[in-house]
Amino acid sequence: MNVIPLFVAIPLAAAFFIPMVSQKFRWVPDLLGNLTAFALLVMAVSVIGKKDVYIMGGWAPPIGINLVLDGLSVLMLITISLVGFTATLFSIRYMEQYTSKLRYYSLFLLMMGGMNGVALSGDMFNIFVFLEIASVASYALVGFGCEHEELEASFKYLVLGSVASTLILLGVAVIYGSLGSLNMAHVSRLIVEQGMNKALYFSLTLLVMGFSLKAALVPFHAWLPDAHPSAPAPISAMLSGVLIKVLGVYALLRISFNVFGMSPLLANILIWLGTISMVVGGLLALGQWDYKRLLAYSSISQVGYVVLAVGIGGAVVSRGDSMTVAGLAIGGGLFHLINHAAFKSLLFLSSGAIVYSTGTRDLRKMGGLKDRMPLTSGAANIGAFSISGIPPFNGFWSKLVIIIAAVQARYYWLALTAVLISVITLAYYLKLQRHAFFGPASENNRDVREVPLSMCIPMVLLAVLCVGMGLLLLPGPRAEILQPAVDALTMGMKYATVILGR
Amino acid sequence: MIYALCLVLFMVGLYGVVTKKNTVKIVIGIIIMEYAVNLFLVLLGYRKDGVAPIIDEGTSVLKFSQLAVDPLPQALVLTAIVIGLGVIALMVAICIRLYERYGTFDITEMRRLKG
Amino acid sequence: MGQKLTPGDSRSNLYNPQLGMTLIVKTVTRWVKGFIFLFGVYIVLYGHLTPGGGFAGGVIIAGAFILLTLAFGKEAALERMSKTVASEFDSLGALMFLMLAWLGLYFGGPFFVNFIQRNLPGKRFHLFSAGNIPLCNIAIGIKVGTSLFMVFIILSVLRVVVKKGERRMVQMKRRGE
């Protein structure tokens, strides 16, 4: 039996099954939510290295709907299910603070199903549909607490998210009007045959704007610093760790590399978007005193690194320069993407642990937590070291690869900027560490205790990953996980050949 | 030409979202944007003097394909409407909750979050 | 004689001007509600042959309940379908739809394959001709009907409790800050 449709079907089925049975049994949502997330993780690991096209309902492309599993999708599926599993494990105890766990798990699994769908779909309109499923669930989850801040952030996120979805839908409609097809492979084939026209450029603009809004790249970032801190901590980890990457960056990469084909103009746009978000996000994070808000701004900055690296790769591909440099840049970007998923979800989970214990998010009211919460502070310190690029941890390797690629592609200024922003990242994480974990213990943290074990395990798991993920650059694991994803992007228009079979 | 009118409608909605201060008016702006896109999609499948894309016993497939309008955009619009319905229901619920908390629909008075 | 009428019962409600709308609306609703429901069911069942289908029919079914809510107040509608029942049906519809898709895998085809049509093609343009599409329509009809009803009920429960005086107080307090 083929496993690909189950990536979408299992979370959806569990999401609808949980409200049916858990009226009577209170432990069912926890159990089912964790089991489903674990099953997804096992499935995602089992498809490593596979490539497949799954045809829904027996209608062959370009007419029918198809699901495409290639290297990039596999990378995304692993990231989603890994962060999703740790977040569900963390929520067992953390979500005791809120009412209605069954709605929480239901929405959470809907969000995971939607993201898996986006990563697998081979059809423009289906990407829109799955993106909306994931977005609607995330709007509701951001406002889950129903307090002033949460509702306000959720409304802001909802309005901007809906505008983004409308832009994406309009872009999809323009593609259909001008080419008469929605299958991504068929569209890319038609674009190669007929060339770009004005309507297609218009549609590309709309899609880039829409997906950048979802990815919170800098001119479009206004919702993120409000929405991510206001959500419950596991949801912040999901939103910052994977949602902006799958709905924003992944879709942007798919559209720009595989459907429209990379052009120098598009590559420049990506490079600029990436650089601006990197710089602005980093500088804004320096002045924050709210633990989670600082993390949210840093997410903007780190996603900027990813988009910058991929943009450099795209520029090299469209110039027709050496493929190794392009592969290096894109590989660095994707590697930073999964690294960021690991350490940012770790940091958000640690912020949740601190809120659970001390009840505050203000850095000025913390201090001295190193002795009170040894596991949490240890994990958070590992996360902070890896995000700021201290050598043995994974963040160092991905940033190193990005900077080397930028130098080899002769973008010296961008390489310099990336180094400078890395220093700024180090600065604001040192500030975070100094105020939260070291220094004198403040008055109201006298009787703070370590969080329960089920909240520590996910953090320790992610911390171990942060240390060990540098190993992905070794030739063996790299050929299994990173290289297929890089190939899926660098081969560009061959995407259509794989799916249409001609 | 008529596509341009759809775009104008889209811009009207965007104008509403960007400039209005009342949460309900923002929601209405988003609804206008969504419906402009839906209208655009339906118009893409339109054909002059076309018939509804429902085949029945009398018509042959060939004649049907020459006469009927394109059914695919209609299916897409139906899906988009359903999604829009969900989003709008959530939005209205959040608007009501916001009114409960703040006692106002004015977004300039909701200033708990800075930045 | 006769049983005791509770306040939520539509029979007591009918002549109670305090609850719901006027007598005319209530009487018409009592006559019409069954037909609206039946029409919705028809639209769902014939969705594969005529315009309509699961979503449109579901909206009409939900319309029947929403009409009841408007005319008699939400107690009368909740008496016929309580919130828990609606929530169960909501999940049930979605699960039915997924089950139909899974059965495709079970019968040895891809996901969502029309396995009934494969084995029993049926006569064209007759009721039993489209395989499992009518079954999908029924599932969608249940899902959409109950969830729209839920949305309406929840939005009307969320009715804002802030009164005018309190609102002014809230505003004054904010200005004072």
Side-chain angles (χ1 to χ4, degrees), chain A residues 125 129 132 136 139 146 148-149 151-156 158-159 162 166-167 169-170 173-174 176-177 182 226 293, chain B residues 10 17 23 26 33 37 40-41 44 70 72-73 76 79 83 87 90-91 94-95 97-98 101-102 110 112-115:
Chain A
F125 192 73
V129 170
E132 278 292 85
V136 170
Y139 303 147
C146 277
H148 291 79
E149 289 88 358
L151 288 170
E152 194 182 327
S154 175
F155 189 74
K156 208 170 185 180
L158 234 172
V159 170
S162 309
T166 322
L167 289 174
L169 182 60
L170 189 58
V174 172
Y176 183 74
L182 284 174
D226 291 339
R293 214 171 164 81
Chain B
F10 187 82
V17 173
T23 48
I26 292 176
M33 280 169 77
V37 178
F40 178 70
L41 262 169
L44 285 177
D70 189 354
L72 184 70
L76 301 187
T79 318
I83 293 170
V87 175
L90 186 64
M91 258 187 219
I94 287 179
C95 280
R97 277 293 174 89
L98 273 174
R101 299 280 174 206
Y102 287 89
M110 300 172 193
R112 288 288 182 96
L113 299 167
K114 288 176 222 74

Short mmCIF file of all heavy atoms in Angstrom, two decimals, chain A residues 125 129 132 136 139 146 148-149 151-156 158-159 162 166-167 169-170 173-174 176-177 182 226 293, chain B residues 10 17 23 26 33 37 40-41 44 70 72-73 76 79 83 87 90-91 94-95 97-98 101-102 110 112-115:
data_model
loop_
_atom_site.label_atom_id
_atom_site.label_comp_id
_atom_site.label_asym_id
_atom_site.label_seq_id
_atom_site.Cartn_x
_atom_site.Cartn_y
_atom_site.Cartn_z
N PHE A 125 -3.98 24.76 -7.39
CA PHE A 125 -5.16 25.07 -6.59
C PHE A 125 -5.16 24.28 -5.29
O PHE A 125 -5.60 24.78 -4.26
CB PHE A 125 -6.43 24.79 -7.40
CG PHE A 125 -7.65 25.35 -6.76
CD1 PHE A 125 -7.87 26.71 -6.79
CD2 PHE A 125 -8.55 24.56 -6.10
CE1 PHE A 125 -8.96 27.25 -6.17
CE2 PHE A 125 -9.65 25.10 -5.48
CZ PHE A 125 -9.86 26.44 -5.53
N VAL A 129 -5.67 25.30 -1.38
CA VAL A 129 -6.65 24.72 -0.45
C VAL A 129 -5.96 24.27 0.83
O VAL A 129 -6.40 24.61 1.94
CB VAL A 129 -7.40 23.56 -1.12
CG1 VAL A 129 -8.23 22.82 -0.10
CG2 VAL A 129 -8.28 24.05 -2.23
N GLU A 132 -4.87 27.06 2.97
CA GLU A 132 -5.95 27.68 3.74
C GLU A 132 -6.33 26.81 4.93
O GLU A 132 -6.62 27.34 6.01
CB GLU A 132 -7.17 27.89 2.84
CG GLU A 132 -7.09 29.13 2.02
CD GLU A 132 -7.15 30.37 2.89
OE1 GLU A 132 -6.09 30.77 3.38
OE2 GLU A 132 -8.22 30.93 3.08
N VAL A 136 -6.17 28.53 8.48
CA VAL A 136 -7.36 28.74 9.31
C VAL A 136 -7.14 28.11 10.68
O VAL A 136 -7.43 28.71 11.72
CB VAL A 136 -8.61 28.16 8.63
CG1 VAL A 136 -9.78 28.15 9.58
CG2 VAL A 136 -8.97 28.97 7.43
N TYR A 139 -4.85 30.40 12.59
CA TYR A 139 -5.51 31.62 13.10
C TYR A 139 -6.23 31.31 14.41
O TYR A 139 -6.16 32.04 15.38
CB TYR A 139 -6.57 32.16 12.13
CG TYR A 139 -6.14 32.48 10.74
CD1 TYR A 139 -7.01 32.30 9.67
CD2 TYR A 139 -4.89 32.98 10.47
CE1 TYR A 139 -6.65 32.58 8.39
CE2 TYR A 139 -4.53 33.27 9.19
CZ TYR A 139 -5.40 33.06 8.14
OH TYR A 139 -5.05 33.34 6.88
N CYS A 146 -8.03 33.40 24.01
CA CYS A 146 -9.18 34.30 24.09
C CYS A 146 -8.97 35.44 25.08
O CYS A 146 -9.93 35.90 25.70
CB CYS A 146 -10.46 33.56 24.43
SG CYS A 146 -11.19 32.84 22.99
N HIS A 148 -7.07 39.46 25.74
CA HIS A 148 -6.94 40.66 24.90
C HIS A 148 -5.85 40.52 23.84
O HIS A 148 -6.10 40.69 22.67
CB HIS A 148 -6.59 41.85 25.79
CG HIS A 148 -7.70 42.27 26.68
ND1 HIS A 148 -7.99 41.61 27.84
CD2 HIS A 148 -8.58 43.27 26.59
CE1 HIS A 148 -9.00 42.19 28.42
NE2 HIS A 148 -9.40 43.21 27.69
N GLU A 149 -4.64 40.17 24.31
CA GLU A 149 -3.51 40.15 23.37
C GLU A 149 -3.71 39.09 22.30
O GLU A 149 -3.46 39.33 21.13
CB GLU A 149 -2.20 39.86 24.11
CG GLU A 149 -1.69 40.97 24.98
CD GLU A 149 -2.27 40.86 26.37
OE1 GLU A 149 -3.07 39.95 26.60
OE2 GLU A 149 -1.92 41.70 27.21
N LEU A 151 -6.44 37.72 21.09
CA LEU A 151 -7.46 38.02 20.09
C LEU A 151 -6.97 39.10 19.14
O LEU A 151 -7.19 39.02 17.93
CB LEU A 151 -8.75 38.47 20.78
CG LEU A 151 -9.50 37.36 21.48
CD1 LEU A 151 -10.59 37.92 22.32
CD2 LEU A 151 -10.08 36.41 20.46
N GLU A 152 -6.28 40.08 19.71
CA GLU A 152 -5.80 41.18 18.86
C GLU A 152 -4.78 40.65 17.84
O GLU A 152 -4.87 40.94 16.65
CB GLU A 152 -5.17 42.23 19.76
CG GLU A 152 -4.92 43.54 19.09
CD GLU A 152 -4.24 44.49 20.03
OE1 GLU A 152 -4.50 44.44 21.24
OE2 GLU A 152 -3.44 45.30 19.55
N ALA A 153 -3.85 39.82 18.34
CA ALA A 153 -2.84 39.27 17.44
C ALA A 153 -3.49 38.38 16.40
O ALA A 153 -3.14 38.41 15.22
CB ALA A 153 -1.81 38.47 18.23
N SER A 154 -4.47 37.59 16.86
CA SER A 154 -5.13 36.68 15.93
C SER A 154 -5.86 37.46 14.85
O SER A 154 -5.84 37.07 13.68
CB SER A 154 -6.10 35.81 16.71
OG SER A 154 -6.84 35.02 15.86
N PHE A 155 -6.49 38.57 15.23
CA PHE A 155 -7.21 39.35 14.22
C PHE A 155 -6.25 39.95 13.20
O PHE A 155 -6.50 39.89 11.99
CB PHE A 155 -8.02 40.46 14.89
CG PHE A 155 -8.94 41.16 13.95
CD1 PHE A 155 -10.09 40.54 13.50
CD2 PHE A 155 -8.65 42.42 13.47
CE1 PHE A 155 -10.93 41.16 12.61
CE2 PHE A 155 -9.49 43.05 12.58
CZ PHE A 155 -10.63 42.42 12.16
N LYS A 156 -5.13 40.46 13.70
CA LYS A 156 -4.13 41.03 12.80
C LYS A 156 -3.63 39.96 11.82
O LYS A 156 -3.55 40.18 10.61
CB LYS A 156 -2.97 41.54 13.65
CG LYS A 156 -2.20 42.67 13.07
CD LYS A 156 -1.26 43.17 14.15
CE LYS A 156 -0.51 44.39 13.72
NZ LYS A 156 0.38 44.86 14.77
N LEU A 158 -5.11 37.21 11.03
CA LEU A 158 -6.21 36.78 10.15
C LEU A 158 -6.35 37.72 8.97
O LEU A 158 -6.49 37.26 7.82
CB LEU A 158 -7.50 36.81 10.96
CG LEU A 158 -8.36 35.57 11.00
CD1 LEU A 158 -9.46 35.76 11.99
CD2 LEU A 158 -8.92 35.27 9.67
N VAL A 159 -6.33 39.02 9.25
CA VAL A 159 -6.55 39.98 8.16
C VAL A 159 -5.41 39.87 7.14
O VAL A 159 -5.65 39.72 5.94
CB VAL A 159 -6.67 41.41 8.72
CG1 VAL A 159 -6.63 42.41 7.60
CG2 VAL A 159 -7.93 41.55 9.50
N SER A 162 -5.52 36.55 5.30
CA SER A 162 -6.56 36.46 4.29
C SER A 162 -6.19 37.25 3.05
O SER A 162 -6.48 36.83 1.93
CB SER A 162 -7.89 36.99 4.82
OG SER A 162 -8.18 36.40 6.02
N THR A 166 -5.92 35.67 -0.63
CA THR A 166 -6.64 36.21 -1.78
C THR A 166 -5.68 36.52 -2.92
O THR A 166 -5.99 36.23 -4.08
CB THR A 166 -7.39 37.48 -1.36
OG1 THR A 166 -7.90 37.29 -0.07
CG2 THR A 166 -8.52 37.75 -2.28
N LEU A 167 -4.52 37.06 -2.57
CA LEU A 167 -3.53 37.34 -3.62
C LEU A 167 -3.11 36.04 -4.30
O LEU A 167 -2.99 35.97 -5.52
CB LEU A 167 -2.30 38.02 -3.02
CG LEU A 167 -2.46 39.46 -2.55
CD1 LEU A 167 -1.22 39.92 -1.85
CD2 LEU A 167 -2.76 40.35 -3.72
N LEU A 169 -4.81 33.24 -4.50
CA LEU A 169 -5.91 32.73 -5.32
C LEU A 169 -6.00 33.48 -6.63
O LEU A 169 -6.21 32.89 -7.70
CB LEU A 169 -7.23 32.82 -4.54
CG LEU A 169 -8.44 32.28 -5.26
CD1 LEU A 169 -8.26 30.81 -5.57
CD2 LEU A 169 -9.69 32.45 -4.43
N LEU A 170 -5.82 34.82 -6.57
CA LEU A 170 -5.87 35.61 -7.80
C LEU A 170 -4.74 35.19 -8.74
O LEU A 170 -4.95 35.06 -9.96
CB LEU A 170 -5.78 37.10 -7.45
CG LEU A 170 -6.03 38.07 -8.59
CD1 LEU A 170 -7.39 37.84 -9.19
CD2 LEU A 170 -5.92 39.50 -8.12
N ALA A 173 -5.69 32.03 -10.34
CA ALA A 173 -6.73 32.25 -11.35
C ALA A 173 -6.13 32.81 -12.63
O ALA A 173 -6.52 32.42 -13.73
CB ALA A 173 -7.78 33.21 -10.79
N VAL A 174 -5.17 33.73 -12.49
CA VAL A 174 -4.56 34.31 -13.69
C VAL A 174 -3.80 33.22 -14.46
O VAL A 174 -3.85 33.18 -15.70
CB VAL A 174 -3.63 35.48 -13.31
CG1 VAL A 174 -2.86 35.95 -14.52
CG2 VAL A 174 -4.43 36.61 -12.75
N TYR A 176 -4.57 30.05 -14.55
CA TYR A 176 -5.56 29.24 -15.25
C TYR A 176 -6.09 29.96 -16.48
O TYR A 176 -6.26 29.37 -17.54
CB TYR A 176 -6.72 28.86 -14.32
CG TYR A 176 -7.71 27.96 -14.99
CD1 TYR A 176 -7.41 26.63 -15.22
CD2 TYR A 176 -8.92 28.45 -15.46
CE1 TYR A 176 -8.28 25.81 -15.87
CE2 TYR A 176 -9.81 27.64 -16.11
CZ TYR A 176 -9.49 26.32 -16.32
OH TYR A 176 -10.35 25.50 -16.99
N GLY A 177 -6.35 31.28 -16.33
CA GLY A 177 -6.88 32.03 -17.45
C GLY A 177 -5.92 32.08 -18.61
O GLY A 177 -6.32 32.07 -19.77
N LEU A 182 -3.83 23.80 -14.30
CA LEU A 182 -3.42 24.12 -12.94
C LEU A 182 -2.40 23.15 -12.41
O LEU A 182 -1.82 23.37 -11.36
CB LEU A 182 -4.64 24.13 -12.01
CG LEU A 182 -5.51 25.35 -12.13
CD1 LEU A 182 -6.74 25.21 -11.30
CD2 LEU A 182 -4.74 26.58 -11.67
N ASP A 226 3.57 39.84 16.47
CA ASP A 226 2.42 39.78 17.37
C ASP A 226 1.88 38.37 17.49
O ASP A 226 1.57 37.91 18.58
CB ASP A 226 1.30 40.69 16.87
CG ASP A 226 1.69 42.14 16.98
OD1 ASP A 226 2.59 42.43 17.78
OD2 ASP A 226 1.11 42.97 16.27
N ARG A 293 8.91 37.66 22.01
CA ARG A 293 8.94 38.64 20.93
C ARG A 293 10.32 38.72 20.31
O ARG A 293 10.47 38.85 19.09
CB ARG A 293 8.53 39.99 21.50
CG ARG A 293 7.75 40.84 20.55
CD ARG A 293 7.23 42.05 21.28
NE ARG A 293 6.82 43.04 20.33
CZ ARG A 293 5.65 42.99 19.70
NH1 ARG A 293 4.82 42.03 19.95
NH2 ARG A 293 5.34 43.91 18.82
N PHE B 10 -11.38 44.34 -6.66
CA PHE B 10 -10.35 43.83 -5.75
C PHE B 10 -9.68 44.99 -5.02
O PHE B 10 -9.49 44.96 -3.80
CB PHE B 10 -9.33 43.05 -6.57
CG PHE B 10 -8.30 42.33 -5.77
CD1 PHE B 10 -8.58 41.11 -5.20
CD2 PHE B 10 -7.05 42.89 -5.57
CE1 PHE B 10 -7.63 40.44 -4.46
CE2 PHE B 10 -6.09 42.23 -4.83
CZ PHE B 10 -6.39 41.00 -4.28
N VAL B 17 -9.66 47.34 3.46
CA VAL B 17 -8.84 46.67 4.49
C VAL B 17 -7.77 47.61 5.02
O VAL B 17 -7.51 47.67 6.22
CB VAL B 17 -8.19 45.40 3.90
CG1 VAL B 17 -7.22 44.80 4.88
CG2 VAL B 17 -9.24 44.38 3.54
N THR B 23 -13.34 47.12 12.81
CA THR B 23 -13.01 45.73 12.49
C THR B 23 -14.02 45.11 11.53
O THR B 23 -13.65 44.37 10.64
CB THR B 23 -12.97 44.88 13.77
OG1 THR B 23 -14.12 45.14 14.53
CG2 THR B 23 -11.75 45.16 14.58
N ILE B 26 -13.30 46.12 8.07
CA ILE B 26 -12.14 45.39 7.53
C ILE B 26 -12.58 44.02 7.02
O ILE B 26 -12.18 43.58 5.94
CB ILE B 26 -11.05 45.26 8.62
CG1 ILE B 26 -10.46 46.62 8.92
CG2 ILE B 26 -9.96 44.32 8.15
CD1 ILE B 26 -9.47 46.59 10.04
N MET B 33 -12.79 41.53 -1.44
CA MET B 33 -11.63 41.03 -2.19
C MET B 33 -11.85 39.60 -2.65
O MET B 33 -11.58 39.24 -3.80
CB MET B 33 -10.38 41.06 -1.30
CG MET B 33 -9.73 42.40 -1.19
SD MET B 33 -8.50 42.37 0.09
CE MET B 33 -7.21 41.53 -0.76
N VAL B 37 -12.19 38.03 -6.60
CA VAL B 37 -11.43 36.93 -7.20
C VAL B 37 -12.37 35.84 -7.70
O VAL B 37 -12.17 35.28 -8.78
CB VAL B 37 -10.42 36.36 -6.17
CG1 VAL B 37 -9.69 35.20 -6.77
CG2 VAL B 37 -9.46 37.41 -5.76
N PHE B 40 -13.81 36.87 -10.90
CA PHE B 40 -12.80 36.76 -11.94
C PHE B 40 -12.70 35.31 -12.43
O PHE B 40 -12.65 35.06 -13.63
CB PHE B 40 -11.47 37.24 -11.37
CG PHE B 40 -10.32 37.15 -12.32
CD1 PHE B 40 -10.26 37.98 -13.42
CD2 PHE B 40 -9.31 36.24 -12.12
CE1 PHE B 40 -9.20 37.91 -14.28
CE2 PHE B 40 -8.26 36.16 -12.99
CZ PHE B 40 -8.20 37.00 -14.07
N LEU B 41 -12.71 34.37 -11.47
CA LEU B 41 -12.60 32.97 -11.86
C LEU B 41 -13.79 32.52 -12.69
O LEU B 41 -13.64 31.82 -13.69
CB LEU B 41 -12.51 32.10 -10.60
CG LEU B 41 -11.12 31.68 -10.17
CD1 LEU B 41 -11.16 31.08 -8.81
CD2 LEU B 41 -10.58 30.67 -11.15
N LEU B 44 -13.57 33.74 -16.18
CA LEU B 44 -12.59 33.05 -17.02
C LEU B 44 -13.23 31.93 -17.81
O LEU B 44 -12.84 31.64 -18.94
CB LEU B 44 -11.48 32.46 -16.15
CG LEU B 44 -10.45 33.41 -15.59
CD1 LEU B 44 -9.50 32.64 -14.72
CD2 LEU B 44 -9.71 34.08 -16.71
N ASP B 70 -16.96 26.62 -19.36
CA ASP B 70 -15.94 25.79 -18.71
C ASP B 70 -16.37 25.49 -17.27
O ASP B 70 -16.55 26.41 -16.47
CB ASP B 70 -14.63 26.57 -18.73
CG ASP B 70 -13.47 25.73 -18.27
OD1 ASP B 70 -13.72 24.60 -17.83
OD2 ASP B 70 -12.33 26.20 -18.36
N LEU B 72 -14.69 23.89 -14.87
CA LEU B 72 -13.64 23.81 -13.86
C LEU B 72 -13.57 25.05 -12.97
O LEU B 72 -13.54 24.93 -11.74
CB LEU B 72 -12.29 23.52 -14.50
CG LEU B 72 -11.16 23.32 -13.50
CD1 LEU B 72 -11.35 22.02 -12.75
CD2 LEU B 72 -9.82 23.34 -14.17
N PRO B 73 -13.58 26.28 -13.57
CA PRO B 73 -13.55 27.46 -12.69
C PRO B 73 -14.73 27.48 -11.72
O PRO B 73 -14.59 27.95 -10.60
CB PRO B 73 -13.64 28.63 -13.66
CG PRO B 73 -13.15 28.13 -14.92
CD PRO B 73 -13.51 26.69 -14.97
N LEU B 76 -13.77 25.41 -8.89
CA LEU B 76 -12.78 26.13 -8.09
C LEU B 76 -13.45 27.19 -7.23
O LEU B 76 -13.14 27.36 -6.05
CB LEU B 76 -11.72 26.78 -8.98
CG LEU B 76 -10.92 25.89 -9.90
CD1 LEU B 76 -9.83 26.69 -10.56
CD2 LEU B 76 -10.31 24.74 -9.14
N THR B 79 -15.19 25.78 -4.24
CA THR B 79 -14.22 25.48 -3.18
C THR B 79 -13.78 26.75 -2.48
O THR B 79 -13.72 26.82 -1.25
CB THR B 79 -13.00 24.77 -3.77
OG1 THR B 79 -13.46 23.81 -4.71
CG2 THR B 79 -12.20 24.09 -2.72
N ILE B 83 -14.12 27.83 1.52
CA ILE B 83 -13.00 28.24 2.37
C ILE B 83 -13.25 29.63 2.91
O ILE B 83 -13.06 29.90 4.09
CB ILE B 83 -11.69 28.19 1.56
CG1 ILE B 83 -11.36 26.75 1.20
CG2 ILE B 83 -10.56 28.78 2.35
CD1 ILE B 83 -10.24 26.64 0.23
N VAL B 87 -13.30 31.10 6.81
CA VAL B 87 -12.46 32.20 7.29
C VAL B 87 -13.32 33.32 7.83
O VAL B 87 -13.04 33.89 8.89
CB VAL B 87 -11.55 32.70 6.16
CG1 VAL B 87 -10.77 33.90 6.61
CG2 VAL B 87 -10.60 31.62 5.72
N LEU B 90 -14.84 32.60 11.22
CA LEU B 90 -13.83 32.77 12.27
C LEU B 90 -13.58 34.24 12.55
O LEU B 90 -13.49 34.67 13.71
CB LEU B 90 -12.54 32.08 11.82
CG LEU B 90 -11.43 32.02 12.85
CD1 LEU B 90 -11.87 31.19 14.01
CD2 LEU B 90 -10.20 31.43 12.24
N MET B 91 -13.49 35.03 11.47
CA MET B 91 -13.23 36.46 11.63
C MET B 91 -14.32 37.14 12.41
O MET B 91 -14.05 37.94 13.33
CB MET B 91 -13.18 37.10 10.24
CG MET B 91 -11.83 37.38 9.73
SD MET B 91 -12.06 38.30 8.25
CE MET B 91 -10.80 37.59 7.32
N ILE B 94 -14.11 36.30 16.00
CA ILE B 94 -13.04 37.03 16.70
C ILE B 94 -13.42 38.48 16.90
O ILE B 94 -13.15 39.07 17.94
CB ILE B 94 -11.71 36.87 15.94
CG1 ILE B 94 -11.20 35.45 16.13
CG2 ILE B 94 -10.67 37.84 16.45
CD1 ILE B 94 -9.95 35.15 15.42
N CYS B 95 -14.12 39.07 15.89
CA CYS B 95 -14.59 40.45 16.05
C CYS B 95 -15.50 40.57 17.26
O CYS B 95 -15.37 41.50 18.07
CB CYS B 95 -15.37 40.90 14.83
SG CYS B 95 -14.36 41.38 13.48
N ARG B 97 -15.66 38.60 19.88
CA ARG B 97 -14.88 38.43 21.10
C ARG B 97 -14.08 39.69 21.43
O ARG B 97 -13.98 40.09 22.59
CB ARG B 97 -13.93 37.25 20.94
CG ARG B 97 -14.57 35.91 21.21
CD ARG B 97 -14.94 35.82 22.67
NE ARG B 97 -15.68 34.62 22.98
CZ ARG B 97 -15.12 33.46 23.34
NH1 ARG B 97 -13.83 33.36 23.40
NH2 ARG B 97 -15.88 32.43 23.62
N LEU B 98 -13.52 40.31 20.38
CA LEU B 98 -12.76 41.54 20.61
C LEU B 98 -13.67 42.62 21.19
O LEU B 98 -13.28 43.36 22.10
CB LEU B 98 -12.16 42.03 19.29
CG LEU B 98 -10.81 41.48 18.89
CD1 LEU B 98 -10.45 41.95 17.51
CD2 LEU B 98 -9.74 41.96 19.85
N ARG B 101 -14.14 42.05 24.79
CA ARG B 101 -13.00 42.38 25.64
C ARG B 101 -12.78 43.88 25.73
O ARG B 101 -12.52 44.41 26.79
CB ARG B 101 -11.72 41.74 25.09
CG ARG B 101 -11.77 40.26 25.02
CD ARG B 101 -11.48 39.66 26.37
NE ARG B 101 -11.68 38.22 26.28
CZ ARG B 101 -12.01 37.45 27.30
NH1 ARG B 101 -12.17 37.99 28.48
NH2 ARG B 101 -12.17 36.17 27.14
N TYR B 102 -12.81 44.55 24.57
CA TYR B 102 -12.42 45.96 24.54
C TYR B 102 -13.60 46.92 24.59
O TYR B 102 -13.43 48.09 24.80
CB TYR B 102 -11.61 46.26 23.28
CG TYR B 102 -10.21 45.71 23.27
CD1 TYR B 102 -9.95 44.44 22.79
CD2 TYR B 102 -9.15 46.47 23.73
CE1 TYR B 102 -8.67 43.94 22.79
CE2 TYR B 102 -7.87 45.97 23.73
CZ TYR B 102 -7.63 44.71 23.25
OH TYR B 102 -6.36 44.21 23.24
N MET B 110 -7.35 49.32 20.19
CA MET B 110 -6.80 48.05 20.66
C MET B 110 -5.29 48.14 20.58
O MET B 110 -4.69 47.93 19.55
CB MET B 110 -7.29 46.91 19.78
CG MET B 110 -8.78 46.79 19.79
SD MET B 110 -9.29 45.63 18.58
CE MET B 110 -11.03 45.99 18.54
N ARG B 112 -2.89 46.81 22.98
CA ARG B 112 -2.13 46.08 23.99
C ARG B 112 -0.78 45.65 23.45
O ARG B 112 0.18 45.52 24.17
CB ARG B 112 -2.91 44.85 24.42
CG ARG B 112 -4.12 45.14 25.28
CD ARG B 112 -3.68 45.58 26.65
NE ARG B 112 -4.84 45.81 27.50
CZ ARG B 112 -5.31 44.90 28.33
NH1 ARG B 112 -4.74 43.73 28.40
NH2 ARG B 112 -6.37 45.15 29.07
N LEU B 113 -0.73 45.38 22.13
CA LEU B 113 0.52 44.93 21.53
C LEU B 113 1.19 46.11 20.88
O LEU B 113 0.57 46.84 20.11
CB LEU B 113 0.23 43.88 20.47
CG LEU B 113 -0.44 42.61 20.95
CD1 LEU B 113 -0.94 41.84 19.77
CD2 LEU B 113 0.54 41.78 21.73
N LYS B 114 2.45 46.30 21.18
CA LYS B 114 3.16 47.42 20.57
C LYS B 114 4.06 46.93 19.45
O LYS B 114 4.54 45.81 19.48
CB LYS B 114 3.99 48.13 21.63
CG LYS B 114 3.13 48.92 22.60
CD LYS B 114 3.97 49.52 23.69
CE LYS B 114 3.32 49.39 25.04
NZ LYS B 114 3.36 48.06 25.60
N GLY B 115 4.30 47.76 18.47
CA GLY B 115 5.27 47.43 17.44
C GLY B 115 4.66 46.98 16.15
O GLY B 115 3.51 46.71 16.03
#
